[in-house]
């Protein structure tokens, strides 16, 4: 799929200011992948794979990617999370303006995770937090982390899925839309993103569980190619709370937005306008 093919579905991602140093193509605003990952550097081919990611984004007109590196071990160790955050920072320097960093933390390391988030955001310009399945979103261990993100005005992206229909012995504490909605209601000033509607099980249930919680968002990534996913989420939650994401599944995720029967204005919001609004909170 070529850049012009992807961009032809919508003349602009959103009517938002352009980031310094990353001018979008004339006549449109930025497309932002709100859920992306860089290659773990335990893979000796990581340089080539990260370059291939940037090349793919170039071809498709994806201007910025909000990235983390997921540690290989479970539960997430403090050392593993910190090492991966250093690698993300290095990639931010390698690809300035293209890679936006998420600080990966395990909230079970109470003091250390708060210190890491403050350092990553305030000193290094990370744009948000990424958490995996070490704890469910409703567990009190998350409360200090959410309170800090409110002060810093950055979002938290949750690895999430509603998988009660499918045995998931490796993820007993995975959060679903209901858990994230409960946490969002407790902290209405927070910005919480539920990851991969199309990769976490029952996507209709997920969209409905987040309905009526205005500070909870949903990204469109995932490998599931069921027809109508984006349309249903737009109808139930509203386009203002949906975020374009790929989670490395670029073909499925781009195709999902290309084929969605929604208005161009809604598509613009999803492709970049909504995430740009979230990111602007930090500098607002």
């Amino acid at each position: 799929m070529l850049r012009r093919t992807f961009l032809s579905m919508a003349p602009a991602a959103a009517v938002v200011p352009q980031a310094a140093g990353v001018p979008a193509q004339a006549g449109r605003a930025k497309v932002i992948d709100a859920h992306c990952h860089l290659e773990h550097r335990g893979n000796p081919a990581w340089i080539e794979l990260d370059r291939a990611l940037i090349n793919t984004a170039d071809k498709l007109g994806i201007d910025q990617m909000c990235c983390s590196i997921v540690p290989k071990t479970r539960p997430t160790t403090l050392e593993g999370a910190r090492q991966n955050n250093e690698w993300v920072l290095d990639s931010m320097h390698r690809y300035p303006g293209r890679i936006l960093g998420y600080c990966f933390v395990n909230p079970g390391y109470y003091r250390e995770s708060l210190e890491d988030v403050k350092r990553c955001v305030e000193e290094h310009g990370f744009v948000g937090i990424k958490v995996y399945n070490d704890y469910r979103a409703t567990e009190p261990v998350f409360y200090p982390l959410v309170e800090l993100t409110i002060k810093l005005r950055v979002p938290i992206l949750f690895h999430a899925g509603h998988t009660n229909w499918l045995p998931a012995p490796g993820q007993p504490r995975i959060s679903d839309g209901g858990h994230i909605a409960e946490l969002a209601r407790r902290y209405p000033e927070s910005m919480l993103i539920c990851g991969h509607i199309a990769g976490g099980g029952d996507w209709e249930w997920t969209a409905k569980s987040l309905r009526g919680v205005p500070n909870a968002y949903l990204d469109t990534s995932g490998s599931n190619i069921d027809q109508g996913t984006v349309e249903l989420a737009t109808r139930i939650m509203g386009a203002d709370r949906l975020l374009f994401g790929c989670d490395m599944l670029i073909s499925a995720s781009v195709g999902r937005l290309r084929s969605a029967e929604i208005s161009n204005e809604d598509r613009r919001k999803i492709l970049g306008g909504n995430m740009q609004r979230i990111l602007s909170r930090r500098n607002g």
Side-chain angles (χ1 to χ4, degrees):
M1 186 183 302
L2 299 176
R3 177 188 183 97
R4 62 179 176 271
T5 307
F6 179 41
L7 296 177
S8 66
M9 68 184 181
V15 182
V16 293
Q18 303 308 306
V22 192
Q25 184 179 0
R28 70 170 183 87
K30 287 186 293 186
V31 175
I32 304 174
D33 183 346
H35 185 167
C36 192
H37 297 289
L38 299 166
E39 186 65 27
H40 191 279
R41 295 195 179 179
N43 185 337
W46 68 267
I47 293 178
E48 293 80 5
L49 292 171
D50 283 356
R51 181 67 253 178
L53 176 67
I54 294 294
N55 289 341
T56 299
D58 288 343
K59 291 177 182 178
L60 295 176
I62 300 173
D63 298 289
Q64 294 181 309
M65 293 166 284
C66 302
C67 295
S68 63
I69 298 176
V70 178
K72 294 293 187 182
T73 58
R74 294 286 174 275
T76 303
T77 66
L78 178 62
E79 295 76 14
R82 284 179 167 174
Q83 177 64 84
N84 287 10
N85 290 334
E86 290 179 8
W87 289 337
V88 170
L89 178 60
D90 178 67
S91 293
M92 291 165 62
H93 293 154
R94 285 172 177 268
Y95 302 107
R98 304 298 304 281
I99 299 295
L100 308 180
Y102 281 131
C103 176
F104 195 106
V105 296
N106 177 345
Y109 295 100
Y110 168 66
R111 297 183 188 278
E112 294 90 343
S113 66
L114 298 183
E115 291 171 358
D116 290 350
V117 168
K118 288 190 67 176
R119 181 174 59 257
C120 284
V121 172
E122 294 184 330
E123 297 180 20
H124 301 307
F126 282 56
V127 298
I129 315 304
K130 176 68 164 73
V131 294
Y132 210 69
N133 55 18
D134 298 297
Y135 295 91
R136 285 199 178 99
T138 50
E139 295 186 67
V141 70
F142 267 107
Y143 298 168
L145 183 62
V146 176
E147 289 165 7
L148 177 58
T149 64
I150 292 171
K151 293 178 182 178
L152 295 175
R153 299 189 298 277
V154 295
I156 303 179
L157 170 60
F158 287 82
H159 171 80
H162 187 61
T163 57
N164 62 342
W165 55 274
L166 177 68
Q171 302 191 53
R173 299 171 94 165
I174 189 171
S175 300
D176 64 22
H179 300 123
I180 293 168
E182 183 177 335
L183 183 62
R185 291 188 188 98
R186 182 182 182 91
Y187 291 104
E189 294 177 275
S190 65
M191 297 178 286
L192 308 183
I193 304 170
C194 179
H196 36 61
I197 183 177
D202 189 337
W203 46 268
E204 182 173 354
W205 184 93
T206 296
K208 289 180 178 178
S209 70
L210 296 167
R211 177 173 48 194
V213 189
N215 57 316
Y217 298 83
L218 179 61
D219 84 47
T220 64
S221 67
S223 59
N224 189 302
I225 56 173
D226 288 358
Q227 186 174 4
T229 306
V230 173
E231 292 90 331
L232 179 139
T234 301
R235 186 171 68 252
I236 290 175
M237 295 179 59
D240 290 339
R241 291 168 53 208
L242 300 181
L243 307 173
F244 170 62
C246 291
D247 194 17
M248 306 304 293
L249 299 160
I250 296 177
S251 295
S253 301
V254 167
R256 188 173 298 113
L257 263 294
R258 285 197 67 217
S259 64
E261 296 181 359
I262 57 177
S263 70
N264 276 343
E265 179 59 29
D266 285 346
R267 209 183 315 270
R268 291 185 183 98
K269 293 177 181 180
I270 297 169
L271 282 172
N274 295 336
M275 192 62 186
Q276 185 65 34
R277 190 176 71 249
I278 289 172
L279 297 178
S280 70
R281 289 274 298 274
R282 172 69 185 155
N283 299 317

